[in-house]
Amino acid sequence: MHIDARQIDNGTLIEGDICIVGTGAAGLSIALQWIDAPYKVILLEGGGFEYDDQVQELYNGKLTGQNYYPMKSSRLHYFGGSTMHWGGMCSTFDEQDFEKREWVEYSGWPIKREEIAEYYPAATKILDLVSTEWDVKYWLSQNAQLKELPLDKNEIWNKMWQFSPPTRFGTKYRDIIIQAKNIHLYTYANVVDITANENVSTIKSMTVKNYAGKTHTIKASKFILACCAIQGSRLLLASNKQAKKGLGNDNDLVGRYFMEHPELKTGELWLTQSEELKLYTMDGKNRYRAELAIFPSKQKELGILNGTVALNPLPLYQNVKANVMTWNNDDPRKSLKQSQEDHGLQKKKNIFERIIDRFRSKKEKTSFSSFELYTRIEQAPNPNSRVVLSNEVDALGVPRANLHWDLLPIDKRTVRKLNEFIGKQFGISGIGRVRLYEFLWDEKDESMPNFTSGGWHHIGTTRMSDDPKTGVVDANCKVHGIDNLYIAGSACFPTSGAINPTLSVVAISLRLSNHIKRQMEKNPRSF
């Protein structure tokens, strides 16, 4: 069922069992699990079904610190959220990502990998991936043309990725959600405030507004914020009429530990003879590829974070500019157009599809002697990398969110040491040599260059911990001290891993959905 919140009477009271705020990968993955359940689900979307620049403007804010994408255009504010322009890259967390690593401050999750991994198969289906298998041995067995590089298997391993079509949640799941009798989707319903009871232990209601001048009240038994790391923490901080620091922020943790995946070109691999390297490159036919990674024991020895290195045919990629240099307009449509023009590739396609088009256009060239090294790493958890409220308010009266993206010396050291080590392994193997780019030569230089891009991955800001002094939510994604408020998605991640988060966002959201279902069975209705 769909209701346009601009078209109903001002001051409408909307009641339900569950209220989900946001219709991106997290929010819609949860909503899909409640279809035909004996509960009324309220699903709130601040925008409509199409891009609206006036609504998008609500995401605007200022940036400081490391060079980053404009706040307004780094997320999409309509049904389907940022899945409407994501690239489709998916991979799984590693075991070490959940462990406490003594050389990585603030690392460690209160849950184990298997508690998310058990939901990977279901997430794979939602994202339209071709397989639930992630071991390189499986992929090698499926295609005799795939060959591993002859690198030391005790030092280097192949991290597998799969590519969603990519699934546009707002397109694929729109009719399913609208036709569900118990799902009540409200568009143009921007949450602007959250009200708790007197001792701030239970959320009583949320207030929504829109540009039509309508204000409505939402009441439910359980509330789930699934509106991305920046906007979710913004809403908690802005809901400060009862808790002066903001909801869930007694220990000044909301908004802190913002993480991205720093990614950048780091060098060139020159082989002694041309190779196709089908396992490691995208050719438009296969929806998978491998990237090079090093084992946890070596990461510990080097004192570095997790990371991977992709191999891209140098003739196809050498003139491709860094994403952060092309995606630099407040309007995401203009940034997309600029990115397309800079790449000289077909319009209305994401970066991966456009690269594949370029690959296909050079059919006579199937093997290459040179490859670009493209590195992606996890960002070290850093309390100074954070979201804060601005003194400026948006058109609906909510303080804007400002972002300070702050990187640490270990981030730069990881990029350098990871590439140095992999470069040495190529030399030892005798198949080629690696030339690192100049910004990695000076070991005393701990700064990341201004062309360091992020993956548009907003992670952290309401991190998970068993201890409210070190985290905002508990192991079940419930805000500490508030019995019916939950956070869905990558905002809960204590560490980011070295992989794009969408698969794990869906998986952890499914886990949260199951937890709330169990809670509802114990106490089905309270409104």
Side-chain angles (χ1 to χ4, degrees):
M1 180 184 301
H2 168 235
I3 305 97
D4 186 328
R6 300 172 301 180
Q7 304 302 320
I8 58 179
D9 291 340
N10 187 44
T12 296
L13 173 62
I14 303 166
E15 295 183 289
D17 297 294
I18 304 292
C19 176
I20 304 169
V21 182
T23 63
L28 285 181
S29 294
I30 293 173
L32 291 169
Q33 310 311 305
W34 291 79
I35 292 177
D36 295 331
Y39 303 104
K40 179 181 178 181
V41 177
I42 300 167
L43 179 60
L44 303 178
E45 168 54 52
F49 292 113
E50 303 292 339
Y51 180 88
D52 182 329
D53 198 62
Q54 188 179 40
V55 173
Q56 190 70 27
E57 175 61 26
L58 298 173
Y59 278 0
N60 214 344
K62 296 180 180 179
L63 298 165
T64 55
Q66 183 73 30
N67 190 30
Y68 196 59
Y69 309 111
M71 288 279 281
K72 179 181 172 182
S73 63
S74 65
R75 277 292 178 272
L76 291 181
H77 198 4
Y78 63 99
F79 188 77
S82 296
T83 68
M84 302 306 284
H85 69 182
W86 77 305
M89 293 183 67
C90 294
S91 192
T92 58
F93 273 124
D94 300 328
E95 194 77 39
Q96 79 213 53
D97 294 326
F98 293 80
E99 298 173 352
K100 173 64 179 175
R101 292 165 282 171
E102 61 268 23
W103 68 97
V104 182
E105 193 173 12
Y106 307 112
S107 61
W109 291 52
I111 61 175
K112 299 295 185 182
R113 180 185 184 276
E114 53 264 29
E115 295 184 59
I116 289 180
E118 67 174 290
Y119 295 97
Y120 278 151
T124 295
K125 184 177 181 180
I126 290 173
L127 294 168
D128 299 310
L129 302 180
V130 297
S131 176
T132 59
E133 296 291 336
W134 297 93
D135 192 314
V136 68
K137 294 179 181 178
Y138 167 81
W139 298 97
L140 293 172
S141 72
Q142 301 300 300
N143 187 343
Q145 292 184 316
L146 301 181
K147 303 293 183 183
E148 292 182 274
L149 284 164
L151 302 174
D152 189 340
K153 292 184 178 181
N154 293 317
E155 303 284 5
I156 306 286
W157 65 286
N158 293 297
K159 176 71 173 177
M160 290 304 304
W161 293 75
Q162 293 188 58
F163 297 86
S164 171
T167 300
R168 304 296 182 206
F169 279 53
T171 301
K172 178 174 181 178
Y173 298 117
R174 173 177 171 170
D175 290 345
I176 295 172
I177 291 296
I178 291 175
Q179 293 168 11
K181 295 181 179 179
N182 70 313
I183 308 292
H184 296 248
L185 168 64
Y186 288 82
T187 53
Y188 296 98
N190 289 275
V191 178
V192 297
D193 194 25
I194 304 174
T195 301
N197 62 355
E198 187 175 352
N199 63 358
V200 197
S201 62
T202 300
I203 300 305
K204 294 173 60 179
S205 66
M206 290 185 174
T207 302
V208 301
K209 289 185 178 181
N210 53 50
Y211 279 103
K214 302 291 182 67
T215 301
H216 309 298
T217 300
I218 313 294
K219 289 188 175 182
S221 173
K222 306 287 185 184
F223 293 89
I224 305 170
L225 294 185
C227 46
C228 93
I230 291 178
Q231 300 306 320
S233 57
R234 172 195 183 191
L235 183 55
L236 291 175
L237 292 170
S239 299
N240 55 19
K241 63 181 182 291
Q242 295 167 292
K244 292 183 179 181
K245 295 181 180 180
L247 294 173
N249 197 35
D250 291 346
N251 295 296
D252 190 28
L253 294 172
V254 173
R256 292 188 182 272
Y257 301 97
F258 173 86
M259 293 173 286
E260 249 282 9
H261 286 113
E263 51 185 54
L264 65 173
K265 298 181 178 186
T266 47
E268 297 170 2
L269 166 64
W270 291 83
L271 299 175
T272 55
Q273 62 183 25
S274 294
E275 300 283 355
E276 290 187 299
L277 298 190
K278 286 182 175 292
L279 178 63
Y280 302 92
T281 56
M282 296 180 289
D283 64 3
K285 297 177 182 178
N286 300 323
R287 302 301 299 177
Y288 55 83
R289 77 170 179 191
E291 295 184 358
L292 300 176
I294 65 177
F295 287 103
S297 57
K298 181 58 65 172
Q299 292 177 30
K300 181 178 181 179
E301 177 185 326
L302 297 175
I304 64 174
L305 304 159
N306 202 355
T308 62
V309 175
L311 302 178
N312 301 321
L314 188 60
L316 305 186
Y317 284 75
Q318 60 186 349
N319 295 321
V320 175
K321 296 179 181 178
N323 290 328
V324 76
M325 296 301 184
T326 59
W327 196 278
N328 54 19
N329 195 290
D330 277 342
D331 188 329
R333 298 166 299 179
K334 293 180 180 179
S335 278
L336 178 59
K337 181 180 179 181
Q338 182 63 50
S339 178
Q340 291 166 344
E341 291 175 351
D342 286 345
H343 287 81
L345 299 169
Q346 186 174 342
K347 294 182 179 181
K348 296 184 179 179
K349 292 191 176 185
N350 65 56
I351 179 64
F352 305 105
E353 292 170 320
R354 299 198 304 274
I355 290 297
I356 287 170
D357 283 346
R358 178 175 285 181
F359 197 104
R360 286 170 172 166
S361 71
K362 297 180 179 292
K363 292 182 179 178
E364 75 285 355
K365 183 76 172 178
T366 59
S367 61
F368 300 87
S369 60
S370 60
F371 291 82
E372 167 196 281
L373 303 185
Y374 192 82
T375 301
R376 181 187 305 101
I377 66 166
E378 69 170 313
Q379 179 184 342
N382 176 5
N384 294 321
S385 184
R386 65 184 301 195
V387 174
V388 297
L389 293 183
S390 168
N391 292 325
E392 179 186 350
V393 299
D394 65 22
L396 300 182
V398 181
R400 294 192 182 277
N402 290 344
L403 173 65
H404 180 75
W405 187 27
D406 189 48
L407 298 176
L408 296 172
I410 190 175
D411 299 310
K412 177 67 172 291
R413 185 167 70 250
T414 295
V415 174
R416 179 184 294 110
K417 293 295 184 182
L418 174 63
N419 281 270
E420 285 178 349
F421 184 76
I422 289 177
K424 290 177 181 178
Q425 292 303 308
F426 274 108
I428 292 171
S429 72
I431 64 172
R433 292 290 186 272
V434 165
R435 181 179 76 87
L436 298 186
Y437 289 146
E438 189 173 351
F439 76 92
L440 293 174
W441 294 357
D442 184 359
E443 292 190 1
K444 295 180 180 179
D445 182 1
E446 297 180 333
S447 63
M448 294 288 270
N450 68 349
F451 56 81
T452 301
S453 295
W456 292 278
H457 307 151
H458 298 174
I459 303 170
T461 74
T462 55
R463 68 196 322 257
M464 179 188 295
S465 174
D466 285 332
D467 185 350
K469 293 182 180 180
T470 57
V472 177
V473 302
D474 65 16
N476 291 313
C477 301
K478 184 185 75 66
V479 175
H480 285 294
I482 302 177
D483 59 24
N484 65 339
L485 180 60
Y486 298 82
I487 310 292
S490 56
C492 299
F493 295 0
T495 52
S496 65
I499 46 91
N500 292 28
T502 307
L503 177 67
S504 295
V505 163
V506 174
I508 198 171
S509 298
L510 298 179
R511 177 179 178 270
L512 170 58
S513 181
N514 277 355
H515 171 74
I516 293 178
K517 280 186 177 182
R518 291 191 294 268
Q519 297 298 309
M520 292 297 290
E521 289 170 358
K522 297 177 183 178
N523 184 21
R525 292 182 185 273
S526 61
F527 70 88

